[in-house]
Structures are given as C-alpha cells and as structure tokens.
Amino acid sequence: MSFLSRLSQWLPFGDVPEMDAKSVFQHLEDNNIQIVDVRTSLEWDKSHIKGSINLPITHYSADSVRQKRLNKDHLTIVICLSAHRSIPAVRKLKQSGFKEVYQLKGGMLSWWKAKLPTLSTSNK
C-alpha cells in the first residue's frame, strides 16, 4: 500500500455509512450494538452515551481495538463530536473485518440537538 493510500485512510472526509441519532437511540436496547466514541477521554467524561466505549482516535490501533474487546459481528456505531474524527475510525474498523459499521450522522452535536440522554463521569 502506498504512502498516499495509507494517509488517505486517516483523512476526516469522504463518504462512510451513517445512522441518525434517533435510529441509534432506538438500537440501544439491542444486545448486539456497540458504540465506539473516538473523542478524547476528557470529552467523553463530560458527556457520553450510556454503554459507549471510549477509544480516542489518537490511540486507535489493532491492539487497542482488541483490548476493548469489540465484537466484529455486532452493529458498531462510531461517534465523535461533529462526524469528522469518526470517518477514519469507520474505515479502519471495516478494514479490520467489522461487518456493520456506521458513524453517528452529525456526531454528538446531533445527539444533543435531539435531546437524547447522556451520562457524565466528570466532577464538574
């Protein structure tokens, strides 16, 4: 694979499959969904979707995916703030054999706009 091909996988633009916030919310009751939040730990601490797994895009690797025990057969939703950092994560997960991977359309901004529930682990 050429340098440009490797680099293009990490660029935060291009088309990847998307799912809107209300559809993701409806799937939360399913046992076969996993939500991967690629924002920083600080962002995740302030507000995240219940059950989401924080895997900052800056720490993404095959090893970090294995450590998080992500299931390649589960519906996987990748989240960031505004649907930019999630694009390369969707690409990388698909290349790693994940079957059904989407990004949250509009990112957490769309989740908050829809007034859907979040959790906070920060003390602020």
Side-chain angles (χ1 to χ4, degrees), residues 91-124:
R91 286 187 196 123
K92 297 300 278 180
L93 289 169
K94 292 286 277 180
Q95 290 170 355
S96 297
F98 282 74
K99 296 185 178 17
E100 202 175 358
V101 185
Y102 298 86
Q103 79 167 344
L104 174 61
K105 184 176 184 177
M108 282 300 290
L109 294 174
S110 70
W111 190 269
W112 296 325
K113 185 177 180 179
K115 297 185 176 17
L116 295 169
T118 60
L119 298 175
S120 172
T121 56
S122 68
N123 295 326
K124 296 179 181 180

Side-chain angles (χ1 to χ4, degrees), residues 18-61:
E18 295 183 311
M19 190 177 290
D20 65 57
K22 290 183 181 180
S23 296
V24 171
F25 182 71
Q26 290 172 346
H27 279 286
L28 287 180
E29 299 294 319
D30 299 345
N31 289 329
N32 65 337
I33 187 173
Q34 56 197 356
I35 298 174
V36 179
D37 192 321
V38 298
R39 297 176 299 150
T40 66
S41 297
L42 182 62
E43 290 174 292
W44 188 84
D45 284 343
K46 288 182 181 178
S47 178
H48 61 271
I49 297 170
K50 182 180 180 181
S52 65
I53 300 161
N54 186 224
L55 176 57
I57 193 67
T58 55
H59 296 89
Y60 184 94
S61 69

